[in-house]
Amino acid sequence: MSAARSRAARVLALWCPDWPAVAAAAVDEVPPTRPVVVLHANRVVAGTATARAEGVRRGLTRREAQARCPGLYVAQADPDRDARLFEPVVAAVAEIVPGVEVLRPGLLVLAARGAARFFGSEEAAAERLVDAVAATGVECAIGIADELSTAVIAARRATIVPPGEGPRFLAPLPVAELAVEPSLAAPERADLVDLLHRLGLRRIGDFAALSPAEVGSRFGADAIRAHRCARAEPERPPSAAPPAADLAVEYPCDPPIDRIDAAAFAGRLLATRLHERLAGASVACTRLIVSAETAAGEQLSRVWRCAEPLTPEGTADRVRWQLDGWLTQRALRGVPPEEDPGGAVHGRGIAPGDPRSFAPGQNPAGATGEHHRGHGVRQRGARSAGTPPYRPGPAPITVLRLEPIEVVTTAALQMGLWGEAGDNEERARRALVRVQGLLGGTAVQVGVLSGGRGPAERITLIALGDEPSPRSDPDLPWPGRLPEPAPAVVLVDHPGVRLEAADSSPVWVTDRGDFTAVPARLHWGRKHWSVTGWAGPWLLDEQWWGGTRPDCLVRAQVLLDDSVRTLLLLGYNRAWHVEGLYE
């Protein structure tokens, strides 16, 4: 690629570090000095710099994260919250440079050429955008490169990659960087990275050294896209092309929408209409404009970009996020500053000009996009001198419009029999029904949450298709129940293990409910691990009326030295058995 061509196609990526954790901390008004993490499926998916300084990393379970950092503030993943609070940031950038595309809450891209020409240079444009985002109370980092994926990786390092230097910039980076951004990678990208590691390709340059023919013949379609990213080859840049008018759909809002629940209903209805029209044209959308008109005549629009073709559910989510952001911004800006002298946060988001100031050490990022430790959202305080003047938010929405900018053939999107897309649960259910027809009605069973004290008691297996009625009421108190979280895997056959002390003597439980010795090792078959921590033991006194219970029944939890697995042990007849696994 020539230098002139690469400069014309330059892409600017703006990344707000740890955005899910930043948004959660802002909503819950957590002090910036307290570490914060966000969980999904009981695993850490995002955390602040203060949490990482305490050793908390993505992928840890809640138990492991809290063990490393006892003062950790834990929030649950909420895409609606993340998108709602990111809208003021997008609006601040769009006021300076048009053509903003949102990849996900916390990350946006735009064409760098216009911004560089207007401000005089790419460095000046980056500095101006960082200042604009800092005015909303958020820290960010800027990356500029020839290709979009390279710019996103550069933003994580606050780097401006010179034209034509993309391959050289990427070559020494770990190959895991190709999968770190979910908005640009397919779900199977993590498996590809693991395979490349096992093949000895540890750096992006090692993977880029393979020829396209070698990658295409040995790996899947996503590996080909990852290989193009590793070689910094041309990708689809941010687009300023006009929308496809024949595929656009419009919804007149009567009465005008000024509530989030009404916006969610309208967004789902319009998403269904859009995908019916896309299905009729045998195409799927990968880049979408969400636009709206207000009762005051305002024109609002935002571009959403996706790595994979949008499904109806994905489109409805993005429409809901966007309308939620606009309406929340309206609610926040609708309170004049003289009526809010304390600078309290109203609603559920943070709007540009929110009267907050950084705590010591939490200054906005500079021209290079370098960010400091902390949550990155301004805390409550006096209005700073640089805060923009008060402006009212948009009026209620009267017209909603969806316009697909970029479409691909439906071969890129697996459609269901009745037009649905990505309905994995329904396809799995149909397969189970077929197996049930071959093997019998009780051959396929599903679990229903039940009441009980042990993990096995809290699962009632019901034949597929029967009424999901639990054996016991799960809402009863059940004193003495095993505390949350429940084991990820429950073993009904209770395989035996041997718990030993440091001198290889077996460990059991005294009459007072203590271990006879400090647990040091655990043997399971031919494998053994060192025990680095434990909880319990807890003596169980239940079902004494049955007459068949063991003399001593006890539970304990042990943490193995690999730090990624905890076992729930059940002891009886002076032997230990594995009842559950915490993954």
Side-chain angles (χ1 to χ4, degrees), residues 220-561:
D222 181 65
I224 298 176
R225 292 191 292 268
H227 189 243
R228 294 182 62 85
C229 171
R231 295 165 66 96
E233 294 183 347
E235 301 170 310
R236 53 190 182 112
S239 173
D246 55 334
L247 296 177
V249 293
E250 189 173 279
Y251 177 74
C253 306
D254 187 17
I257 294 176
D258 59 357
R259 301 193 326 272
I260 295 173
D261 56 346
F265 176 80
R268 182 164 294 277
L269 176 64
L270 201 56
T272 301
R273 293 181 183 176
L274 172 65
H275 281 268
E276 289 175 352
R277 187 165 295 186
L278 292 172
S282 299
V283 294
C285 178
T286 56
R287 190 182 286 153
L288 177 71
I289 287 184
V290 181
S291 58
E293 297 180 11
T294 69
E298 297 170 291
Q299 302 289 332
L300 308 174
S301 67
R302 190 73 69 233
V303 179
W304 284 85
R305 177 192 183 103
C306 300
E308 298 292 324
L310 283 168
T311 64
E313 293 77 12
T315 300
D317 286 343
R318 284 158 177 80
V319 175
R320 185 181 72 252
W321 296 342
Q322 191 58 63
L323 295 180
D324 192 354
W326 282 332
L327 294 174
T328 302
Q329 189 177 359
R330 169 180 176 266
L332 288 169
R333 290 179 174 179
V335 181
E338 59 271 13
E339 297 181 13
D340 189 21
V345 181
H346 297 268
R348 296 180 295 167
I350 299 176
D354 191 43
R356 303 183 181 192
S357 61
F358 279 94
Q362 303 295 321
N363 295 325
T368 62
E370 180 181 357
H371 56 276
H372 301 273
R373 179 176 299 181
H375 294 161
V377 175
R378 297 187 177 187
Q379 302 300 311
R380 186 176 301 180
R383 181 183 297 273
S384 62
T387 301
Y390 161 75
R391 295 175 301 166
I397 295 173
T398 57
V399 178
L400 181 62
R401 183 180 176 86
L402 301 183
E403 307 172 51
I405 299 178
E406 183 179 72
V407 295
V408 296
T409 62
T410 52
L413 182 65
Q414 183 178 1
M415 303 298 294
L417 181 62
W418 309 110
E420 76 278 5
D423 202 348
N424 296 328
E425 182 178 351
E426 182 60 28
R427 288 199 298 271
R429 183 177 181 85
R430 289 198 297 267
L432 292 176
V433 169
R434 183 178 180 184
V435 173
Q436 191 178 41
L438 294 174
L439 302 180
T442 60
V444 179
Q445 297 180 328
V446 295
V448 178
L449 181 63
S450 181
R453 295 177 175 83
E457 300 170 12
R458 301 194 64 197
I459 301 174
T460 301
L461 294 177
I462 304 295
L464 183 66
D466 290 354
E467 181 180 358
S469 56
R471 181 172 49 249
S472 304
D473 187 359
D475 296 327
L476 294 179
W478 296 107
R481 185 181 67 183
L482 187 71
E484 297 292 343
V489 179
V490 177
L491 304 179
V492 295
D493 54 349
H494 296 171
V497 295
R498 178 180 173 86
L499 193 62
E500 295 181 347
D503 58 358
S504 300
S505 62
V507 175
W508 186 235
V509 180
T510 67
D511 294 338
R512 301 181 63 88
D514 296 325
F515 283 128
T516 56
V518 176
R521 284 185 300 275
L522 183 137
H523 294 261
W524 188 347
R526 297 182 178 180
K527 295 184 178 181
H528 62 89
W529 298 268
S530 297
V531 176
T532 59
W534 64 87
W538 304 291
L539 294 176
L540 306 179
D541 187 13
E542 56 184 11
Q543 297 182 359
W544 48 267
W545 58 88
T548 58
R549 74 182 187 95
D551 294 335
C552 180
L553 193 63
V554 62
R555 283 196 178 96
Q557 296 169 329
V558 294
L559 177 64
L560 306 184
D561 59 357

Side-chain angles (χ1 to χ4, degrees), residues 22-37:
V22 168
V27 169
D28 298 337
E29 297 185 355
V30 180
T33 56
R34 185 174 180 183
V36 178
V37 296

